[in-house]
């Protein structure tokens, strides 16, 4: 009996304490000034002399005088009216940190949180996004996000709305969960934010974006029209500092690493595929990075003997084209301020592509392999609110592929400068230099290797203040000792994006001599036009949010205006209110082959490639579907079928996924390519299957496993990774990789899962702030 009374007494006390905390929080909010997002011109931020303890309770006196950002507006599925659930954001600061207090009203049973792993993808978890634009340019800033279970992510924002989640930095948060709301306190060190302190104007730009998946509502403090991305720096309120934000002072971080690696290479006879040798290596090394704040907004990054073994492998795709495929950069060192280096030109004419550094195709095996990077440095950031600069230098080591074929050591240098013009536009310049160190090569090894290659260019990027107009104009020129590698490329793009109409027109020219060894230029010697127009309608319908009908075109010609490629399509897209996406396309294409080509890219004995110096016209349809991420079971499908050159093809790809919240996800990606050409031309069936598991056992222990079975490349890949985050931004990685044959090769020793190479890596990274 005494035990029962004790339990009842404890329950009553805890209940009373919880109600008291809620009442204290509510009553304290009533004393604050509420700033409506729909009518405010900005938020006033005041300095606190009292300490802020991150406990998710908001009980410190620092919050008592803070203005409260309230009245969030709906952004999706409609952009009229106030949000269904209330959100409140408070801000204050001291000499070291920018603080935010956040109250998000939402029942606990309605949470959607995919996992406890940091840097959760968009559209997978409930949360609040904090957008900060210290330079007020509407182009470059920071995003910090938090889920109801205190899972963090951060990103750099460039071009107004492009998010780079690969950027990592240190900041702190704490969340307290109540039955009807979750309360967060956030501390962002000023050393993490890069900004300049002005004498007269102490104003930044901020916005807050709230996402709830269960009812799929997106709301923002500063209203954002629904035809635009909610995380858009063009739509921010002013953050007015009562006194200037502090100078962050010197910022120095050291990030050393140590690594142990064991690998086995199965060297096979190219004819019989019998294993002739099994060299294995045990390797230990040290290296590291340093981040040095030259000024509050200008950062110097140094790296010595960098290692990227913990980076996830590329996702394999079938290649049915004549040109090199693009794979995105995943190595963190190259991602910070990437718009200053990697975003010049158009997607098909990048003068600098960072994957050219440290990665190269082995002419012996035909596979992309790692090239050792000895050291590198990057200086990037702002000189003031109008000027940004970037300077990158990397040195790679020589690689001997075999006795005659060599990849020389090379030095890569990129220098850029960007000047803000008008309110959100920029004028930029770039210089790229690749210096091949050929002095120690023998005469036969220098064949087809130029001692240097350079590209210089100017660009103008237009972004209107209201985000309706977007444009880009550039001119790049390449330089080389070889006159046949001195060329130019130029292009223009102008787009208009309104609620009910989007229209765009582009032109590009790449001459036959343009060469950028450090860039991504899959095709030269052409010019092209790419127009498009779409009309969007927003019906008053229970399920449909909007639908769009439009025309797209991509028309390519030789430099003397001979038609070489044509892609014209009519499409209809339907977006449902739960974010389900449906798309249908009817297309017509034309391809002129200048030389013989096998669309399967296999060139197998007994078949012939399609004859060159001939044009092919073909048509087909495409259907795409992506389910809402508000459900635990999710999926997507992309079906393309129709004529293909002088035959036909069917491609079906997509994924099936299950979210086991908050533990993680299980996904099966699939890609089936069926090509049927009349004899004697090649026909083929390609499969790429990719089961994947992403699990979070806690906020500091994660595991992932990724399998890829690719019959076109005849490769089965395993990439498994265990990660322990033992301190902020400090990790231990255990990584296992394995490549083997996906299919047996007839009349050879290669069988299903016969090994090609294997490796296991243990890596420790520690982030030390000085």
């Amino acid at each position: 009996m005494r035990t029962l009374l004790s339990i009842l007494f404890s329950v009553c006390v805890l209940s009373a304490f919880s109600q008291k905390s809620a009442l204290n929080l509510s009553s304290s909010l009533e004393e604050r000034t509420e700033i409506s997002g729909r009518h405010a011109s900005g938020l006033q931020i005041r300095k606190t002399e009292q300490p802020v303890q991150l406990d998710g309770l908001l009980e410190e006196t620092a919050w008592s005088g803070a203005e409260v950002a309230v009245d969030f507006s709906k952004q999706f599925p409609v952009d009229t009216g106030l949000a269904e659930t209330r959100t409140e954001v408070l801000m204050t600061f001291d000499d070291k940190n920018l603080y935010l207090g956040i109250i998000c009203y939402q029942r606990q049973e309605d949470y959607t949180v995919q996992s406890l792993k940091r840097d959760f993808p968009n559209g997978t978890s409930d949360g609040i996004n904090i957008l900060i634009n210290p330079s007020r340019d509407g182009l470059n800033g920071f995003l910090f996000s938090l889920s109801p279970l205190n899972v963090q992510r951060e990103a750099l924002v460039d071009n107004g709305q492009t998010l780079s989640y690969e950027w990592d930095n240190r900041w702190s948060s704490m969340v307290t969960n109540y039955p009807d709301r979750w309360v967060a306190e956030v501390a962002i060190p000023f050393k993490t934010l890069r900004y300049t302190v002005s004498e007269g104007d102490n104003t930044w730009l901020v916005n807050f974006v709230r996402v709830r998946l269960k009812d799929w509502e997106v709301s923002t403090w500063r209203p954002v029209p629904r035809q635009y991305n909610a995380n858009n720096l063009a739509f921010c309120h002013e953050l007015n500092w009562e006194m200037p934000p502090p100078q962050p002072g010197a910022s120095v971080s050291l990030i050393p690493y140590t690594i142990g690696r064991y690998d086995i290479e199965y060297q096979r006879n190219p004819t019989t595929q019998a294993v002739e040798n099994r060299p294995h290596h045990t390797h230990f090394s040290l290296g590291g990075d340093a981040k040095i704040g030259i000024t509050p907004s200008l950062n110097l990054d140094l790296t010595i003997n960098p290692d990227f073994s913990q980076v996830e492998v590329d996702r394999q795709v079938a290649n049915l084209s004549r040109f090199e495929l693009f794979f995105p950069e995943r190595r963190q060192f190259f991602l910070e301020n990437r718009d200053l280096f990697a975003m010049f030109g158009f997607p098909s004419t990048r003068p600098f592509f960072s994957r050219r550094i440290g990665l190269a195709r082995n002419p012996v095996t035909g596979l992309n392999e790692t090239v050792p990077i000895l050291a590198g440095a990057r200086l990037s950031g702002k000189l003031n609110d109008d000027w940004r600069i970037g300077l990158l230098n990397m040195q790679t080591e020589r690689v001997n592929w075999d006795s005659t074929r060599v990849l020389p050591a090379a030095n890569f240098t990129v220098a850029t400068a960007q000047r803000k013009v008008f309110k959100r536009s920029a004028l930029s310049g770039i210089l790229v230099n690749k210096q091949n160190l050929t002095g120690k090569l023998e005469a036969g090894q220098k064949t087809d290797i130029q001692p240097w290659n350079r590209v210089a260019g100017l660009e103008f990027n237009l972004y209107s203040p209201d985000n309706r107009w977007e444009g880009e104009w550039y001119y790049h020129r390449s330089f080389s000792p070889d006159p046949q590698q001195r060329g130019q490329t130029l292009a223009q793009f102008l787009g208009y994006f309104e609620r009910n109409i989007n229209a765009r027109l582009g032109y590009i020219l790449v001459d036959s001599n343009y060469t950028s060894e450090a860039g991504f230029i899959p095709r030269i010697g052409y010019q092209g036009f790419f127009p498009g127009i779409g009309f969007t309608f927003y019906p008053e319908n229970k399920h449909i949010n909007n639908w769009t009908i439009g025309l797209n075109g991509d028309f390519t010609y030789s430099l003397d205006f001979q038609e070489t490629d044509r892609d014209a399509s009519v499409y209809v897209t339907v977006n449902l209110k739960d974010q389900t996406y449906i798309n249908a396309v009817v297309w017509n294409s034309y391809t002129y082959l200048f030389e013989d080509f096998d669309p399967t890219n296999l060139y197998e004995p007994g078949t012939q490639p399609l004859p060159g110096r001939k044009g092919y016209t073909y048509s087909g349809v495409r259907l795409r579907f992506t389910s809402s991420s508000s459900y635990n079971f999710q999926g997507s499908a992309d079906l393309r079928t129709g004529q293909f050159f002088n035959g036909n093809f069917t491609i079906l790809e997509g994924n099936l996924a299950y979210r086991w919240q908050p533990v993680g996800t299980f996904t099966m990606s699939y890609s089936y390519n069926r090509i049927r050409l009349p004899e004697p031309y090649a026909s083929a069936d390609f499969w790429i299957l990719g089961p994947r598991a992403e699990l979070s056992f806690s906020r500091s222990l994660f595991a992932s496993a990724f399998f890829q079975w690719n019959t076109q490349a005849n490769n089965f890949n395993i990439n498994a990774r265990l990660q322990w985050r033992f301190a902020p931004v400090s990790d231990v990685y255990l990584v296992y990789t394995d490549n083997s044959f996906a299919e047996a090769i007839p009349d050879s020793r290669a069988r299903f899962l016969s090994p090609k190479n294997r490796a296991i890596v243990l890596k420790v990274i520690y982030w030390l702030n000085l």
Side-chain angles (χ1 to χ4, degrees):
M1 185 67 176
R2 182 178 300 174
T3 302
L4 178 60
L5 290 174
S6 299
I7 294 174
L8 290 174
F9 177 77
S10 300
V11 171
C12 291
V13 169
L14 290 173
S15 176
F17 178 79
S18 176
Q19 293 178 12
K20 182 177 182 296
S21 297
L23 289 172
N24 288 343
L25 182 60
S26 177
S27 61
S28 62
L29 288 178
E30 293 174 358
E31 300 170 2
R32 301 171 185 154
T33 303
E34 294 189 348
I35 307 298
S36 170
R38 298 171 64 84
H39 307 294
S41 59
L43 189 71
Q44 188 82 7
I45 182 170
R46 300 182 178 91
K47 185 177 182 180
T48 178
E49 302 298 335
Q50 303 299 322
V52 176
Q53 180 180 355
L54 294 188
D55 51 18
L57 298 177
L58 300 184
E59 293 180 339
E60 294 82 7
T61 57
W63 301 115
S64 59
E67 294 184 345
V68 188
V70 296
D71 290 348
F72 279 45
S73 298
K74 292 180 180 179
Q75 197 268 343
F76 183 89
V78 297
D79 56 5
T80 57
L82 296 178
E84 296 293 333
T85 56
R86 183 176 173 88
T87 306
E88 302 169 1
V89 181
L90 308 87
M91 300 185 73
T92 187
F93 71 100
D94 59 20
D95 291 331
K96 294 184 178 181
N97 298 308
L98 173 66
Y99 297 99
L100 293 98
I102 303 167
I103 306 172
C104 297
Y105 287 87
Q106 182 180 11
R107 297 186 306 170
Q108 285 194 38
E109 56 266 31
D110 292 338
Y111 291 174
T112 300
V113 178
Q114 176 167 291
S115 78
L116 301 177
K117 187 176 181 180
R118 191 185 181 98
D119 293 334
F120 51 92
N122 266 338
T124 61
S125 296
D126 295 337
I128 181 93
N129 297 341
I130 304 159
L131 287 163
I132 304 175
N133 183 202
S135 61
R136 308 183 305 279
D137 59 3
L139 292 174
N140 304 285
F142 307 89
L143 178 141
F144 300 89
S145 300
L146 204 60
S147 81
L149 299 185
N150 197 32
V151 182
Q152 300 177 346
R153 68 174 178 177
E154 62 280 314
L156 293 176
V157 186
D158 56 67
N159 293 326
Q161 61 184 9
T162 304
L163 304 178
S164 300
Y165 288 110
E166 296 83 359
W167 177 66
D168 277 335
N169 228 304
R170 301 181 71 162
W171 56 289
S172 304
S173 62
M174 185 62 68
V175 172
T176 299
N177 299 100
Y178 298 96
D180 65 335
R181 68 193 183 282
W182 52 280
V183 181
E185 282 183 296
V186 176
I188 304 173
F190 283 111
K191 290 183 178 181
T192 297
L193 301 172
R194 294 169 190 175
Y195 60 92
T196 57
V197 179
S198 304
E199 289 292 335
D201 188 5
N202 297 313
T203 303
W204 292 6
L205 296 178
V206 296
N207 203 10
F208 313 110
V209 181
R210 174 85 183 277
V211 178
R212 291 188 306 115
L213 265 64
K214 185 170 184 179
D215 299 315
W216 253 120
E217 180 183 81
V218 179
S219 59
T220 60
W221 182 48
R222 162 75 188 271
V224 179
R226 62 178 170 175
Q227 68 266 28
Y228 301 125
N229 190 318
N231 300 310
N232 195 315
L233 294 180
F235 304 97
C236 289
H237 277 315
E238 290 183 348
L239 178 66
N240 301 305
W241 297 80
E242 185 181 52
M243 60 180 64
Q247 292 280 2
S251 174
V252 178
S253 298
L254 299 180
I255 313 170
Y257 83 83
T258 181
I259 186 173
R261 178 186 182 94
Y262 176 77
D263 57 59
I264 304 175
E265 187 76 26
Y266 294 84
Q267 296 179 352
R268 295 178 177 271
N269 182 290
T271 302
T272 66
Q273 294 298 324
V275 176
E276 297 180 334
N277 194 14
R278 299 183 184 181
H280 56 88
H281 306 90
T282 302
H283 177 68
F284 296 94
S285 66
L286 298 172
D289 298 343
K291 292 180 174 291
I292 304 170
I294 305 298
T295 72
S297 58
L298 188 64
N299 205 63
L300 174 64
D301 293 270
L302 304 174
T303 185
I304 298 176
N305 190 28
D307 173 84
F308 307 103
S309 55
Q310 79 277 14
V311 175
E312 185 179 80
V313 297
D314 290 323
R315 302 189 180 189
Q316 299 179 27
V317 296
N319 186 6
L320 306 182
S321 75
R322 296 162 288 161
F323 308 111
E324 177 186 8
L325 297 179
F326 177 86
F327 290 93
E329 178 62 85
R330 299 179 184 272
R331 298 169 296 176
Q332 185 176 348
F333 184 85
F334 296 103
L335 292 169
E336 189 167 351
N337 282 327
R338 65 175 181 174
D339 66 303
L340 274 172
F341 301 100
M343 303 305 289
F344 280 80
F346 282 9
S348 60
T349 55
R350 300 297 189 200
F352 174 67
F353 182 41
S354 57
R355 286 178 62 107
R356 300 295 184 216
I357 304 174
L359 294 169
R361 183 179 180 275
N362 184 334
V364 179
T365 65
L367 301 175
N368 285 330
E369 296 186 10
T370 300
V371 176
I373 300 175
L374 299 178
R378 180 187 62 223
L379 179 70
S380 61
K382 287 180 174 289
L383 297 178
N384 52 46
D385 286 345
D386 293 324
W387 281 98
R388 299 173 71 215
I389 62 168
L391 181 63
L392 175 74
N393 184 269
M394 304 292 291
Q395 178 67 46
T396 61
E397 194 175 20
R398 168 177 166 165
V399 176
N400 297 314
W401 300 123
D402 58 19
S403 58
T404 59
R405 285 173 285 191
V406 173
L407 181 71
N411 183 268
F412 298 80
T413 301
V414 186
T416 69
Q418 184 183 88
R419 165 72 183 186
K420 175 186 172 184
V421 295
F422 309 123
K423 189 173 182 179
R424 294 185 65 231
S425 303
L427 182 65
S428 309
I430 186 171
L431 175 63
V432 182
N433 178 67
K434 181 187 178 187
Q435 200 81 24
N436 292 311
L437 307 182
T438 60
K440 296 183 178 181
L441 299 185
E442 299 176 2
Q445 296 174 331
K446 296 181 181 181
T447 304
D448 298 327
I449 298 178
Q450 296 297 321
W452 53 266
N453 173 262
R454 295 171 189 142
V455 174
L458 287 174
E459 298 203 2
F460 175 67
N461 293 89
L462 169 71
Y463 298 95
S464 66
D466 59 6
N467 216 59
R468 293 180 179 178
W469 290 95
E470 179 179 332
E472 180 178 355
W473 293 259
Y474 79 75
Y475 177 80
H476 300 163
R477 188 163 190 87
S478 65
F479 305 88
S480 171
D482 182 359
Q484 298 302 312
Q485 295 185 10
R486 302 171 190 169
Q488 62 182 350
T489 174
L490 55 91
Q492 75 84 30
F493 170 84
L494 184 64
Y496 178 76
F497 305 93
E498 184 52 277
R499 179 183 295 269
N500 297 108
I501 185 173
N502 64 84
R504 55 211 169 275
L505 177 63
Y507 171 77
I508 186 171
L509 181 146
V510 184
D511 77 16
S512 301
N513 294 334
Y514 181 69
T515 306
S516 179
E517 291 188 13
F520 181 77
I521 316 292
R523 185 176 187 179
I524 59 174
Y526 73 96
Q527 57 183 324
F529 302 86
F530 41 99
I533 189 168
F535 301 92
T536 303
F537 305 90
Y538 299 87
E540 293 185 5
N541 185 280
K542 182 179 180 181
H543 301 290
I544 298 176
N545 181 58
N546 65 71
W547 67 277
T548 302
I549 184 170
L551 303 171
N552 279 329
D554 193 347
F555 308 100
T556 304
Y557 302 86
S558 66
L559 298 178
D560 56 3
F561 289 95
Q562 174 192 350
E563 185 179 32
T564 61
D565 296 88
R566 178 182 68 247
D567 290 292
S569 61
V570 179
Y571 69 90
V572 175
T573 299
V574 178
N575 291 296
L576 304 187
K577 290 187 176 179
D578 65 354
Q579 290 280 24
T580 296
Y581 168 87
I582 304 168
N583 172 254
V585 181
V586 177
W587 50 264
N588 174 265
S589 294
Y590 170 81
T591 301
Y592 182 85
L593 296 179
F594 287 91
E595 55 189 27
D596 295 353
F597 172 63
D598 179 0
T600 69
N601 278 309
L602 296 177
Y603 293 92
E604 292 185 332
T607 65
Q608 296 181 14
L610 296 174
R613 306 188 67 81
K614 181 180 178 180
Y616 299 83
T617 301
Y618 43 101
S619 302
V621 297
R622 183 176 189 177
L623 300 174
R624 286 183 285 184
F625 169 84
T626 302
S627 69
S628 170
S629 59
S630 59
Y631 308 115
N632 288 332
F633 284 101
Q634 305 163 32
S636 68
D638 184 351
L639 173 66
R640 284 168 283 177
T641 187
Q643 300 167 334
F644 190 56
F645 291 97
N646 61 348
N648 58 70
F649 80 140
T650 297
I651 298 175
L652 177 63
E653 53 191 9
N655 66 75
L656 299 171
Y658 175 72
R659 178 176 58 217
W660 180 21
Q661 65 172 1
V663 177
T665 59
F666 301 91
T667 305
M668 170 63 82
S669 61
Y670 58 89
S671 175
Y672 172 62
N673 296 260
R674 181 182 187 273
I675 301 171
R676 293 294 181 268
L677 303 181
E679 293 184 352
Y681 310 116
S683 296
D685 293 270
F686 299 143
W687 281 96
I688 301 178
L689 298 178
R692 177 190 183 94
E694 290 273 359
L695 303 176
S696 57
F697 305 107
S698 68
R699 291 187 182 87
S700 59
L701 185 61
F702 318 105
S704 66
F706 190 20
F707 304 84
Q708 296 186 92
W709 183 61
N710 185 337
T711 61
Q712 185 185 34
N714 198 359
N715 193 69
F716 179 73
N717 171 255
I718 302 174
N719 182 240
R721 181 175 60 175
L722 183 67
Q723 177 186 357
W724 174 39
R725 177 148 288 188
F726 63 90
V729 206
S730 303
D731 301 280
V732 176
Y733 291 96
L734 181 63
V735 183
Y736 174 74
T737 59
D738 186 305
N739 288 285
S740 56
F741 286 91
E743 294 181 315
I745 299 178
D747 302 321
S748 79
R749 299 291 295 276
R751 300 289 184 262
F752 172 58
L753 296 185
S754 292
K756 299 178 180 179
N757 54 67
R758 291 169 179 164
I760 188 166
V761 175
L762 179 64
K763 182 176 181 181
V764 181
I765 306 171
Y766 184 68
W767 186 302
L768 176 65
N769 282 339
L770 301 183

